[in-house]
Every structure is written in C-alpha cells, then in structure tokens.
Amino acid sequence: MTHLTSTVVRLKLSLLRGGLRQSGGRRAAFVASAVVAVLFALSQLLGLLLLRGHAHADVIAVPGTAVLALGWAVLPLFFPSGDETLDPTRLVMLPLRPRPLVRALLAASLVGTGPLFTLLVLTGCALSVAHGGPAYAVTVVAVVLALLGCVALARAVATANVRLLTSRKGRDLAVLSGLVIAIGAQLVNFGARELGSAGLGRLQPVADVLSWVPPASAVAAVHSTSEGSYGIAAARLAVAAAGLAVLIAVWARSLTRLMTAPDASTLQPADTGDRGRSATGLGRLLPHGRTGPVMERSLRYIWRDPKTKAAWVTSLAIGLIVPVFNAVQGTGSVYFACFAAGMLGIQMYNQFGQDTSAFWMVATTISSPRDAYAELRGRALALLLITLPYAALVTTVTTALLGSWSRLPEVLGLSFALLGAMLATGAWTSARFPYSIPQEGHKNVAPGQAGLAWIAIFGGMVSAALLCSPVIAATIWLHLSEGGAGFGWLLLPVGTAYGAGLTLLGLRLAAPRTAARLPEILTAVSKG
C-alpha cells in the first residue's frame, strides 16, 4: 500500500515537472500564481489571527471553513484540466484495487498550491478560536480532518462526474465558470453590505448550523474546546471524521463503478423504430416553411454550442442581476429593467458569425433577398421566443421589488421598443460587419477582426439607442407634463408597435444586403 502511495505521489510530481518544462511562460505563470496564492493565504492567516479574542470570531471561522469546502467541491467541475490526476480513467487499465488507489490519490491530492493555500487558511480559522492548551491540541486534529475533508470532497465530486467533465457538457461548464464567479462576486458584495450595516452577529445562526456540518464542524470543535464544552467538541470532531469516512466511501464506490462499468457514451442506442419521424417535438410547435427549421436550428445552437450557450446564459444572468440587485439594495430604478432587453438584444448581432464555417450550408440555400429575409426572420423569431417573456418577467420582478406598479406598462413599452431597435440594427450589422468566432479557446473574435466586432456591436447599440429616442422622449414628456403620468399605460402598445415596426424594417433592409454579400460574409465568418 505504501509503495502504491509513494508511486502515485511521485507521478503527481512528475506531471507537475513535465508541465513546467514545456515553456518558460508556463513556468513563470505557475511561479507567479503560486506566490500570489501563498501571499494571499498568509494575509488571510494574519487577518484571522487578529480576530483572536473577538466575540464573533467563530462567526468568521466556521462559515469560512464551509465556504472553503464549497470551493473545493465546485472548482473541479469548472476547471477539470487544472489537475490531470483528477481523471482516474487513465488508471482503469492498471491492476489496481479501488480502496488502495483511493488512499494513494488522496495523498497525491495533498501536493500542490491549492492544498497549501487551504492548509494556511484552515490553520488561521482554527487558531482564531483556539484558547488554551486543550484547544491547541484539538486544532491539530481539526485542521487535518478539515483539509482531508476538502480534498476528499473534491475527489468524490470529480470522480462521480469525470465522464461529464471530459464530454462536451463538461466543456460547457468550464465556459460558464466566469459567469458563476461574476454572480458569486455580486452575492459576496451584497452580503458584505448587509453585514456592514447589521454587524457580524447576524451570521451567528448560520454559524450555529454550519458548526454541525463537516468539515466546518472540525473548526467548531476547537471553539467548543476553548469554551470548556469538551463533550460537544468531541461530538463535532466525530461528525467531521464521519463526514470524511462517508466521502471516502462514496469516492471508492464511484471509482469502482468507473473502473468496471462501460462508458454509456460508447454504447450504441437501441433502435426505437421511429426513424421515419420528420420532425422533433419542438419542430412541430414552430411555424411551417423555412421559418420553423431556422428557428429550430438557432435554438439548438443556443443549447448545444458552448460559445453560444455561454453568451446567452451570461446575458440572461446579468440582465437579471443588474436590475434586481439594485432594487434589493434600494439604489435602483424601475427603468433598469430595460437592461434585460438590451443584454439579450445583443445576441442578434453577428448572427452569421455564430455559425462559423458551417454558414456555407446556409449560404447555399439563399439565392434571393426573399430567402435572406426568411433566414433573418427565423433567427429573430427564435430570439424573441426567449427574450419577450424574459424581459416581461424581469420587468415585473423589478417593479414588484420597488413597488412601482404604475410604471410597469411604460417600462415594458420601453423594453420592447429597445428590443425591436436592437433586432433591427443587429440584422443589418450582421450583414454589413460579419466576423468569425473561434471555436477553440476563450477568444470571441478571430485575430484581425476586433475592429469589425467593435463597429458591429457598439455602433449597433448607439444606433439602437437613437432609434429608441422617440419613445424615450415620449416617456419624459409624459412625466413632465401636467396630468401626463396618467397616460403612461399608452407607452406599452406604442412601444410594442414601434419595436415591431423597427424589427420588420431592419429585416427588410438587411435582406437584400445579405443576399448580395454572401461571398464576403462567408469569407469573414470562416476565418480563425
């Protein structure tokens, strides 16, 4: 057993050395990131030590440990390529039993910058609530249990989802990781503001609950020992040890299933005898003719293509976060709800670039402005299928949070007018300024086409704002004129009709240009 453990640890070190030998830039990046991580961990350690003696030190230490464990559980899902040993499928052909392999992988998981960072922060959390000799003795046990719990949690989650992580859906999760970080930052910012006004005591109920949840219960045991509650401390240590045992058992079971069960993705599906079906369930609900297939293709791109999905989910999340978080904090306006329509309206820009080199198959079906109009109309309707109910939902939620129900019709009218303007300008710029979106990496514009992207997006947004100016002017006039506020409801039908008219006009103007510039569009979107 010891021989296997040492072998796997040496393998982990060899993988690290081999990766660093690939290039000087990679070595520099690793050293810089390691130094920054260690310095940040040391600053956290110092800050936690300064909390010693504070009445609410446990309110920081216990939830902090839980958040650290949550990070270990979530990050492997978003960054599976960060540690090559997270993929145990590389070892399935070796004559190894799962339980000895679990111990070896657990030891190897303790090698790296992440475990060192976690060790320093956990030490600070435990020492911030430790007072007296018995508490310091319990600190050693608590830190070891918490560190092993974090690592075992990450391994169990990664092993249970390893085939997901190496599939297309796993790559989707990696693309969406930035979105999760952005939302988490907003939540942290909101929580910090709440704590700044209400004090740390507000987190005491949360800390009391987490004190019985492993691995945070290990740090809570140190606090109980400092208070002389040795029975409670022993129980919390037992909870942490039991949690570690359960995680290792789950990990071993997942590893056994992974090493003995075939990959379902390699199995040929059974013949359902339904090959003659001409359309999917979604296709039956869409319009007939060219419009329906175009809408279905666009919706499938949104669901299946990682770059397109990431752009849509980011727009959906930010379009909700900006108005709702500002409303909750009491600093927002009901007109912030228009942000939702604006964020989703951006998805109409560079429609053909989203197809990349596959656009040539679409181009072969366009032989006249009429075909181009049907193509653009189908793409716009697919976007409206999501955007219209979403904009209405965000506007209603924002209005409810602010209690401004009288302004709901006019804000909806403004949102629909803005959406129509962005659909019109997006269709035109898609034909006039197309650019390619690389499928590999994190770049959204092919080299040499950044200028086209800036012109298409920001030029189109400015044009959309100018096209919306009549509705904006009407809104301002109604609020400034005497008795005009009572007619604000008229902006809903006016804004809706105005947005629909702009959309139809934009599609009509973009269709001839699309049909005439098909070779140029195909060349532009096929680069990179």
Side-chain angles (χ1 to χ4, degrees), residues 489-500:
W489 62 270
L490 289 174
L491 290 174
L492 176 56
V494 170
T496 303
Y498 184 75

Side-chain angles (χ1 to χ4, degrees), residues 94-463:
L94 300 178
L96 301 174
R97 293 185 178 275
R99 290 198 175 276
L101 184 59
V102 164
R103 287 190 286 270
L105 291 176
L106 183 62
S109 300
L110 297 175
V111 177
T113 306
L116 178 58
F117 174 88
T118 305
L119 176 63
L120 293 174
V121 176
L122 288 175
T123 301
C125 290
L127 290 178
S128 66
V129 294
H131 303 284
Y136 289 124
V138 173
T139 295
V140 177
V141 179
V143 170
V144 172
L145 283 175
L147 178 60
L148 292 177
C150 290
V151 174
L153 178 60
R155 284 292 184 172
V157 172
T159 303
N161 296 278
V162 65
R163 283 173 176 159
L164 168 67
L165 298 178
T166 54
S167 66
R168 177 180 55 82
K169 291 183 178 180
R171 293 191 293 271
D172 292 350
L173 287 174
V175 172
L176 298 177
S177 60
L179 171 63
V180 175
I181 294 173
I183 295 176
Q186 290 291 334
L187 293 174
V188 170
N189 181 41
F190 178 69
R193 289 190 180 184
E194 289 292 317
L195 291 178
S197 59
L200 292 176
R202 192 166 183 175
L203 280 179
Q204 190 63 55
V206 178
D208 293 339
V209 173
L210 292 177
S211 63
W212 293 100
V213 178
S217 59
V219 174
V222 179
H223 179 63
S224 299
T225 305
S226 300
E227 293 183 336
S229 303
Y230 299 115
I232 296 177
R236 286 173 171 168
L237 280 178
V239 169
L244 176 60
V246 169
L247 286 173
I248 292 178
V250 171
W251 180 13
R253 184 174 180 179
S254 299
L255 194 60
T256 302
R257 184 170 61 251
L258 183 69
M259 298 176 72
T260 57
D263 187 352
S265 64
T266 64
L267 301 178
Q268 185 173 357
D271 189 1
T272 60
D274 197 23
R275 295 181 180 178
R277 191 170 57 182
S278 60
T280 63
L282 176 63
R284 295 192 185 98
L285 301 176
L286 299 177
H288 297 288
R290 179 172 185 141
T291 302
V294 171
M295 291 179 65
E296 186 174 2
R297 180 191 349 120
S298 299
L299 294 173
R300 289 187 182 276
Y301 275 167
I302 295 172
W303 182 251
R304 293 182 175 180
D305 181 62
K307 286 287 182 74
T308 306
K309 180 187 290 188
W312 269 90
V313 174
T314 301
S315 297
L316 288 168
I318 296 178
L320 178 66
I321 288 174
V322 170
V324 170
F325 270 63
N326 280 279
V328 170
Q329 294 175 5
T331 59
S333 167
V334 69
Y335 296 104
F336 281 7
C338 296
F339 203 80
M343 287 299 300
L344 294 189
I346 294 177
Q347 303 307 317
M348 187 64 187
Y349 292 79
N350 195 35
Q351 276 291 310
F352 307 127
Q354 297 174 15
D355 298 353
T356 62
S357 58
F359 177 69
W360 73 268
M361 292 187 291
V362 178
T364 58
T365 66
I366 299 176
S367 59
S368 65
R370 183 177 180 179
D371 294 335
Y373 177 77
E375 177 71 25
L376 290 169
R377 181 181 60 187
R379 293 174 183 248
L381 288 175
L383 189 145
L384 287 173
L385 196 63
I386 301 174
T387 305
L388 281 178
Y390 178 77
L393 175 64
V394 172
T395 304
T396 304
V397 170
T398 306
T399 304
L401 291 174
L402 294 174
S404 303
W405 289 108
S406 60
R407 296 189 177 182
L408 177 60
E410 62 185 73
V411 177
L412 279 175
L414 279 172
S415 295
F416 294 157
L418 175 61
L419 180 59
M422 297 196 75
L423 290 178
T425 56
W428 191 86
T429 57
S430 293
R432 183 63 183 85
F433 302 108
Y435 57 90
S436 178
I437 301 177
Q439 292 299 294
E440 301 296 332
H442 297 281
K443 293 183 178 181
N444 291 319
V445 182
Q449 294 185 328
L452 283 174
W454 279 87
I455 293 174
I457 296 177
F458 289 98
M461 291 172 64
V462 171
S463 301

